[in-house]
């Protein structure tokens, strides 16, 4: 049983550890979502997110987890007779492709082995072969700990395939790693708040380019809940189409102020420092699951080269120290384990955790 007065510290790659002061934001008095106060909260939050994502285009708040925006990005940006190239390098990018198929779109796969990154050259080669209207990318593959080279991919896309829309899942990357939405020329990027924003789950953030908004008007069967046109109509009043998760937006507003006060460059640097620290421990004691140059700054997937009983070590660390780190995801269970270093987790937390793991594996 969880001791609710002293809950475990989470080092899993989402939901992540949430600070008490952020939790407090979730218990403030609620507001009517059609009133002036809500609109002010909404506008302030969206304006800050635009700064965080370096965009002057649309940013929306979705009361859903990020999977909803997986579906929304497909339903709004790809017509039924069009083909999307889905890049696949792990469990979540595989799911993005499955969602595109579930929405009835033609999917062509670009698949690499788990642990490998998807590169600009691979995408270029594939796009040159056929007629695609969009490509899906996962910025940070939470199962394998791979950070795909999205800046290089975007440069290539802008130069060679300027008409192909770029739909990016940055669920575990956003805030922890650079995203300059307008400069990258992306059409959709999204994340849920239980990752590097360090808020409990229940809300997603997404940005949409002007051209994706225009395209969406021409696509039929967009549905309702994730219809970008509905989001845009409500955004004119600084509102959302349906009743939003207001407590989460209060917490997001709080976290955005904190991020901007720190400065995004510093936030990214802080994540990189934590990643470097965990990576060097991982290399000393085990091995990285992916090539180091593609290793994520928000989580590390560690190859279990010593054959430790991962589940037992997780249980022991939780029982003795009230902290939880992650087992490998799906087929990587026990072959790998994962440590998140994002959001409000800090160096001292990580030093403590790695020390506790050391005690169990020595
Ligand atoms: C990369 C990635 N994409 C998508 C998702 C799904 O997000 P959600 O669970 O918020 O719907 C996750 C969840 O962990 C993820 O890590």
């Amino acid at each position: 049983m969880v001791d609710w007065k002293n809950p475990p510290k989470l080092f899993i790659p989402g939901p992540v550890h949430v600070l008490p002061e952020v939790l407090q934001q979730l218990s403030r008095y609620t507001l009517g979502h059609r009133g002036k106060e809500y609109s002010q909260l909404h506008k302030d939050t969206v304006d800050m997110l635009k700064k965080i994502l370096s965009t002057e285009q649309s940013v929306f708040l979705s009361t859903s987890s990020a999977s909803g925006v997986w579906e929304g990005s497909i339903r709004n940006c790809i017509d039924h007779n069009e083909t999307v190239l889905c890049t696949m390098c792990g469990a979540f990018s595989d799911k993005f492709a499955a969602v595109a198929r579930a929405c009835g779109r033609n999917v062509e796969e670009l698949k690499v082995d788990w642990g490998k990154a998807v590169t600009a050259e691979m995408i270029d080669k594939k796009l040159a072969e056929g007629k695609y209207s969009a490509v899906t990318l996962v910025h940070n593959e939470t199962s394998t700990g791979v950070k795909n080279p999205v800046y290089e991919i975007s440069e290539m896309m802008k130069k060679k395939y300027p008409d192909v829309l770029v739909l990016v899942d940055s669920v575990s990357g956003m805030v922890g790693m650079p995203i300059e939405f307008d400069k990258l020329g992306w059409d959709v990027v999204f994340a849920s708040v239980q990752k590097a924003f360090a808020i409990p789950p229940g809300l997603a953030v997404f940005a949409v380019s002007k051209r994706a908004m225009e395209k969406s008007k021409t696509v039929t069967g967009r549905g309702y809940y994730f219809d970008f046109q509905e989001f845009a109509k409500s955004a004119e009043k600084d509102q959302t189409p349906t009743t939003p998760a207001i407590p989460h937006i209060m917490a997001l507003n709080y976290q955005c102020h904190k991020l901007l006060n720190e400065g995004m460059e510093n936030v990214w640097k802080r994540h990189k420092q934590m990643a470097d620290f965990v990576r060097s421990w991982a290399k000393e004691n085990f091995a990285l699951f992916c090539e180091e140059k593609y290793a994520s700054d928000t989580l590390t997937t560690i190859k279990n080269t010593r054959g430790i009983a991962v589940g037992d070590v997780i249980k022991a660390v939780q029982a003795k120290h009230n902290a939880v780190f992650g087992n490998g995801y799906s087929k990587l269970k026990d072959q790998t384990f994962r440590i998140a270093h994002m959001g409000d987790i800090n160096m001292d937390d990580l030093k403590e955790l790695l020390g506790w793991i050391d005690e169990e594996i020595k």
Side-chain angles (χ1 to χ4, degrees):
M1 276 296 286
V2 174
D3 172 0
W4 293 109
K5 291 213 173 88
N6 182 27
K9 186 166 271 184
L10 299 181
F11 292 87
I12 55 174
V16 300
H17 176 62
V18 181
L19 295 177
E21 71 240 38
V22 179
L23 288 174
Q24 267 174 17
Q25 296 297 315
L26 291 151
S27 58
R28 286 168 56 188
Y29 283 104
T30 201
L31 301 168
H33 64 295
R34 298 297 179 220
K36 209 167 73 197
E37 291 83 359
Y38 174 77
S39 288
Q40 277 164 355
L41 169 75
H42 184 102
K43 181 174 175 356
D44 188 41
T45 310
V46 166
D47 285 349
M48 286 190 284
L49 287 167
K50 287 186 180 180
K51 287 188 187 142
I52 288 168
L53 295 173
S54 297
T55 182
E56 290 179 0
Q57 304 184 84
S58 301
V59 169
F60 301 118
L61 306 177
S62 173
T63 294
S64 68
S65 75
S67 301
V69 194
W70 262 342
E71 184 156 336
S73 63
I74 299 291
R75 279 175 173 259
N76 281 270
C77 297
I78 301 157
D79 218 334
H80 298 269
N81 55 353
E82 295 176 342
T83 303
V84 53
L85 177 66
C86 292
T87 62
M88 298 158 77
C89 59
F92 294 99
S93 39
D94 286 5
K95 264 277 182 63
F96 202 172
V99 170
R101 253 189 230 103
C103 293
R105 275 25 177 207
N106 305 317
V107 170
E108 184 66 33
E109 299 180 353
L110 194 179
K111 220 174 191 168
V112 297
D113 289 342
W114 286 27
K116 298 260 183 298
V118 177
T119 64
E121 297 74 51
M122 293 175 194
I123 297 176
D124 184 7
K125 198 161 159 237
K126 198 79 188 168
L127 287 179
E129 283 169 9
K131 177 100 190 76
Y132 297 97
S133 57
V135 58
T136 66
L137 303 175
V138 168
H139 183 186
N140 191 66
E141 184 37 87
T142 320
S143 56
T144 61
V146 164
K147 161 184 77 177
N148 282 309
V150 288
Y151 273 77
E152 282 158 49
I153 294 170
S154 304
E155 279 312 306
M156 182 280 292
M157 292 297 300
K158 282 192 286 185
K159 257 190 230 133
K160 299 188 78 171
Y161 305 96
D163 297 331
V164 176
L165 298 190
V166 182
L167 315 179
V168 187
D169 166 335
S170 185
V171 172
S172 58
M174 189 182 288
V175 174
M177 301 190 296
I179 294 178
E180 296 145 291
F181 185 70
D182 293 356
K183 181 174 157 196
L184 285 157
W186 291 352
D187 294 285
V188 182
V189 68
F190 51 90
S192 31
V193 298
Q194 73 272 18
K195 310 281 187 188
F197 283 104
I199 296 169
L203 188 71
V205 165
F206 65 107
V208 184
S209 71
K210 288 196 179 90
R211 68 173 181 169
M213 288 306 300
E214 285 307 305
K215 169 85 185 270
S216 152
K217 288 181 188 162
T218 69
V219 179
T220 55
R222 300 188 299 271
Y224 173 70
Y225 199 71
F226 297 107
D227 180 358
F228 290 177
Q229 298 304 318
E230 292 292 334
F231 276 93
K233 242 189 281 166
S234 299
E236 284 171 18
K237 293 178 279 180
D238 299 311
Q239 292 179 3
T240 50
T242 56
T243 317
I246 297 168
H248 282 79
I249 296 172
M250 290 177 175
L252 178 61
N253 184 280
Y254 181 88
Q255 290 294 64
C256 287
H257 275 291
K258 226 170 66 186
L259 289 166
L260 289 174
N261 283 341
E262 184 179 353
M264 290 315 294
E265 296 281 344
N266 295 330
V267 173
W268 299 328
K269 215 184 286 165
R270 174 164 59 76
H271 280 82
K272 167 100 177 43
Q273 277 163 357
M274 292 194 289
D276 284 341
F277 177 67
V278 174
R279 283 201 282 267
S280 64
W281 175 87
K283 284 188 295 179
E284 220 168 275
N285 291 282
F286 296 91
L288 298 178
F289 182 66
C290 68
E291 218 183 306
E292 186 157 8
K293 75 171 180 175
Y294 297 121
S296 159
D297 287 347
T298 56
L299 80 132
T300 298
T301 299
I302 298 155
K303 202 177 195 174
N304 182 10
T305 48
R306 293 159 63 160
I308 62 164
V310 175
D312 291 348
V313 176
I314 292 172
K315 273 196 209 130
V317 169
Q318 177 161 14
K320 293 181 196 166
H321 307 288
N322 208 19
V324 187
F325 64 97
N327 204 325
Y329 193 89
S330 85
K331 69 181 185 190
L332 298 180
K333 187 166 179 223
D334 297 329
Q335 293 172 43
T336 65
F337 57 97
R338 295 174 302 157
I339 295 174
H341 29 80
M342 61 176 116
D344 287 319
I345 285 290
N346 62 37
M347 268 311 220
D348 289 340
D349 296 326
L350 290 166
K351 281 179 194 160
E352 250 182 352
L353 175 74
L354 298 183
W356 296 331
I357 300 176
D358 279 337
E359 274 170 27
E360 295 305 318
I361 62 173
K362 66 175 180 250

